[in-house]
């Protein structure tokens, strides 16, 4: 296998490859761009016009998606996957991957859409670098732009695999992309209803990509991901890379549950208390009238929504950040 197929090994070792560009047996060009970043370009005659950004390791301890990208890249380097799409592979936070931590100094996935400008430290620098890498990758005009940012969650979940779909004023969520997510094994999608500072929100909002955060199961260390079943996603990604995806046009959304954000719970002070058991699962239902959280200044988060559920509850986040999302069931707005 070509040395550049070992991007994960290089990244974990903090090493640069001796050769920055390599060609696979069937003429696919692999180009190392910087730490944790590699572009794959099919021969011009085979290029089908899809630009696919695949990122993982934005949180360094979320290893199942990192291992998934490593398998895909190794198969491309061996010539067993033959790309027709142009691909950018990104391992988001190499420093945190090396220590098996979510982050080094601060959560990288809260620093996009320019937020890194008001911060410093390794994650702020990396967010700026990732924005530039994505911008350059998606700069050729007239091509299909798609970004999957792959994660695993801190806790277990009543719905194991789901996606978060960013929001931009005036832009509607694509039914075709939702059906592609369903075909890739996602069981639910959370439709965001306001702009955000995560990586997928940046590529969606600023770079015009269809972009998603995908949650694939519970975060575990490298080599311990037997419980995270990414088979359907892996197969679909391989088909997307090879341009051999079964048609999506009339694919149904059957089995895909849709949710929208009712409220984001923001932690404002050290007095913040979340009234949930430590082992609560994502998508747990919250009854009406339930006191979910409280904060300084008599702030109370009481459940008012019918069918409310909680995802990503985390009272340990920094003040000013999201400590959970209250979601509710929704349907897709008619396409205009
Ligand atoms: O398990 C958790 O609490 C967090 C899992 C995670 O890292 N989720 C992403 C979601 C990004 C998005 O909102 O699209 C994150 O919190 O960064
Ligand atoms: Zn994550």
């Amino acid at each position: 296998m070509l040395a550049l197929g070992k991007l994960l090994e290089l990244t974990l070792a903090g090493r640069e490859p001796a050769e920055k560009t390599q060609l696979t047996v069937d003429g696919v060009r692999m180009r190392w761009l910087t730490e944790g970043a590699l572009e794959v370009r099919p021969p011009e005659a085979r290029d089908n016009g899809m630009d696919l950004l695949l990122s993982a390791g934005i949180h360094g301890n979320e290893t199942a998606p990192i291992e998934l990208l490593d398998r895909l890249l190794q198969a491309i380097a061996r010539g067993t996957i033959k790309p027709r799409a142009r691909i950018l592979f990104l391992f988001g936070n190499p420093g945190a991957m090396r220590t098996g931590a979510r982050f080094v100094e601060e959560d990288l996935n809260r620093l996009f859409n320019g937020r890194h400008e008001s911060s410093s430290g390794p994650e702020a620098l990396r967010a700026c670098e990732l924005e530039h890498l994505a911008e350059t990758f998606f700069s050729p005009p007239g091509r299909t732009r798609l970004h999957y940012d792959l994660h695993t969650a801190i806790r277990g979940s009543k719905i194991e695999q789901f996606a978060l779909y960013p929001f931009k004023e005036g832009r509607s969520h694509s039914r075709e992309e939702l059906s592609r997510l369903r075909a890739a094994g996602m069981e639910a999608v959370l439709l965001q209803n306001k702009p955000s500072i995560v990586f997928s929100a940046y590529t969606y909002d600023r770079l015009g990509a269809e972009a998603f955060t995908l949650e694939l199961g519970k975060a575990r260390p490298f080599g311990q991901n037997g419980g995270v079943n990414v088979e359907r996603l892996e197969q679909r990604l391989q088909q997307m890379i090879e341009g051999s995806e079964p048609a999506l046009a009339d694919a149904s959304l059957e089995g895909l549950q849709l949710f929208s954000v009712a409220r984001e719970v923001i932690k404002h002070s050290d007095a913040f208390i979340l009234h949930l058991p430590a082992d609560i699962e994502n998508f747990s239902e919250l009854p009406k009238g339930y006191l979910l959280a409280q904060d300084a200044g008599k702030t109370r988060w009481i459940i008012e929504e019918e069918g409310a559920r909680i995802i990503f509850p985390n009272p340990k986040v920094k003040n000013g950040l999201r400590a959970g999302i209250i979601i509710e069931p929704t349907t897709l707005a008619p396409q205009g």
Side-chain angles (χ1 to χ4, degrees), residues 59 62 102 151-152:
H59 295 126
E62 298 177 3
R102 184 168 168 87
H151 289 247
T152 44

Side-chain angles (χ1 to χ4, degrees), residues 1 24-26 28 71-83 238 241-242:
M1 196 220 329
T24 68
V25 278
D26 53 350
V28 173
R71 286 194 295 276
L72 290 173
L73 189 50
Q74 291 209 28
I76 292 170
R78 276 195 306 268
T80 47
I81 292 183
K82 300 182 193 316
Q238 181 165 341
I241 290 170
E242 296 197 303

Side-chain angles (χ1 to χ4, degrees), residues 61-62 102 152-156 215 217-219 282 312-314:
N61 62 333
E62 298 177 3
R102 184 168 168 87
T152 44
I154 294 169
R155 56 192 60 253
E215 295 287 350
K218 189 169 173 181
N282 286 326
F312 304 151
N314 185 358

Side-chain angles (χ1 to χ4, degrees), residues 267-287:
K267 174 180 172 181
H268 289 294
S269 78
D270 294 344
F272 181 84
I273 302 172
L274 191 64
H275 297 291
L276 288 174
D279 61 353
I280 185 121
E281 291 182 310
N282 286 326
F283 291 95
S284 291
E285 288 178 17
L286 301 170

